[in-house]
Amino acid sequence: MERYWDKSIECAPLHELRSLQSFRLSQTVRRVYENVPYYRQRMDEAGVKPEDIVSVKDLHKLPFTCKQDLRDTYPYGLFAVGMDKVVRLHASSGTTGKQIVVGYTKNDLNTWEECCARALTAFGCDNTDFMHVSYGYGLFTGGLGMHYGAEHVGMTVIPVSVGNTKRQITVIKDFGSTAICCTPSYALHLAETMEEMGLTKDDINLKVGVFGAEPWTEEMRTQIQDKLGIKAYDIYGLSEVIGPGVAYECSAQTGMHINEDNFIPEIIDPDTGEVLPDGVQGELVFTCITKEAFPLIRYRTRDIAVLKREKCSCGRTFIKMMKPAGRSDDMLIIRGVNVFPSQVESVLLSLGNTSPYYQLIVDRVNNSDTLEIQVEISPEMFSDTVRSIEDQESIIRAAVESTLGIAAKIKLVEPKSLQRFEGKAVHVIDKRKK
């Protein structure tokens, strides 16, 4: 039987949801216009006044917000409340510029907990479960977001954070963890380390895995489920919008339901900004309609995704977003072809015989782009003959070229020779940028 945290809103009729969204949108737009000088200036430049926004249908009139706007107003320039109302700050890693600083009022934290509670309930978790949190704590939103969401459900939370993988496995085994949240790449690393320790999935009690913070494929889901003996669920979020819990899978696992009473999604053409219809791939945009401290308007996430509003077997009426194909700023353009690392991962895992660890090395030689894909072979293949390894390289090369439309050099490397990551995996080394 499907479980709900708040069935009245998760299964609300569309007309009721639209009415609620329209009211909250108009209230939010007026509030940011009155309290955030940056938004007021942008709206004035666009010739839009708060009274022009009376329903969701008016959303397209508002200007976009992008990551550079957040950097330009660093650290608190987009906050819509005084700092005396802000009870917590989080921030992005800042690897590509200034950190993105986000703030929360007490009501914002309650909203966040509610969003995560809905997700965890959809995954089948309840107050009898033990949640092992392997996301990083601190300024990153993953650890604390899932921590308080799990506590909101009544789960017993084990705040392990990242690092010391063998100790994590001991904790999972000895504490009786039934659920785990971490990046999908770290889940595979846990499974690999368990094998080294002589443990199998039968030695642990895990039944549910909550994975996000990086792109992952259906093939990777299958590997995680097989190795850890769990049901692997996708959760989506980003610090700027609120953190994990913006969207979540249900039992159908045919996309992630977006918490539309808090976030209005759009899909746009990333080049023109034109709003695209449901079912068409484009850039995902969010407007926050309940956040008090940091309510973003039409925020361009750079995630490439598809929205679908269709009847779901779980009974929820929230629109679904399909698993993002990647981020437009992670997308590689190699010899004029758009390439996402997740495409390569999907090819590799579907073929078998290799481990789920790979790296793309992009370079430019004589004014021409080159792509080398380094892939770890499985321990079984490592003992094969040179000829069989060369044959496998040829098979992978053909499959990659068929999928991507460009040729790549395939280099099979020894087991465990590529770096493991406790947080987001780094799959690309682009030497053209140096």
Side-chain angles (χ1 to χ4, degrees), residues 289-411:
I289 53 175
T290 55
K291 285 178 66 182
E292 295 177 340
F294 194 67
L296 290 181
I297 303 295
R298 301 196 81 194
Y299 181 68
R300 297 185 60 161
T301 67
R302 297 297 180 186
D303 283 329
I304 303 300
V306 174
L307 295 177
K308 290 186 179 179
R309 190 176 297 281
E310 56 191 12
K311 187 174 182 179
C312 184
S313 60
C314 78
R316 291 175 178 84
T317 52
F318 287 159
I319 198 169
K320 285 181 180 177
M321 58 175 281
M322 302 300 105
K323 185 186 289 289
R327 295 176 66 89
S328 60
D329 45 6
D330 287 341
M331 183 181 72
L332 297 164
I333 301 178
I334 303 173
R335 298 193 292 276
V337 177
N338 296 341
V339 176
F340 289 103
S342 58
Q343 292 175 295
V344 175
E345 178 182 296
S346 182
V347 171
L348 296 176
L349 293 181
S350 65
L351 290 174
N353 294 327
T354 62
S355 80
Y357 302 102
Y358 66 96
Q359 194 151 60
L360 280 61
I361 301 175
V362 188
D363 207 344
R364 184 167 286 130
V365 179
N366 297 326
N367 296 318
S368 179
D369 293 336
T370 62
L371 172 62
E372 177 179 294
I373 303 175
Q374 296 183 357
V375 189
E376 279 190 18
I377 56 177
S378 62
E380 296 77 20
M381 181 180 287
F382 187 53
S383 60
D384 287 352
T385 63
V386 172
R387 178 59 184 274
S388 65
I389 291 176
E390 289 176 346
D391 288 345
Q392 185 65 27
E393 286 180 340
S394 297
I395 292 170
I396 295 173
R397 187 182 306 112
V400 167
E401 184 169 355
S402 174
T403 299
L404 301 183
I406 60 171
K409 177 183 178 182
I410 307 298
K411 182 179 180 181

Side-chain angles (χ1 to χ4, degrees), residues 260-271:
E260 286 188 277
D261 56 325
N262 297 297
F263 317 105
I264 302 177
E266 300 172 274
I267 292 290
I268 65 167
D269 183 311
D271 296 321

Side-chain angles (χ1 to χ4, degrees), residues 134 160-168 186 190 422:
S134 285
V160 186
S161 192
V162 297
N164 202 335
T165 302
K166 288 186 177 180
R167 176 174 172 269
Q168 296 233 14
Y186 189 60
L190 283 169
E422 295 169 350

Side-chain angles (χ1 to χ4, degrees), residues 23 26 32 37 56 79 84 118 157 172 178 191 368 373:
F23 174 75
S26 63
V32 299
V56 175
F79 283 22
D84 60 323
R118 292 176 188 176
V157 178
I172 290 171
T178 57
S368 179
I373 303 175

Side-chain angles (χ1 to χ4, degrees), residues 165-182:
T165 302
K166 288 186 177 180
R167 176 174 172 269
Q168 296 233 14
I169 292 167
T170 299
V171 169
I172 290 171
K173 182 174 180 292
D174 293 351
F175 289 21
S177 306
T178 57
I180 185 171
C181 56
C182 60

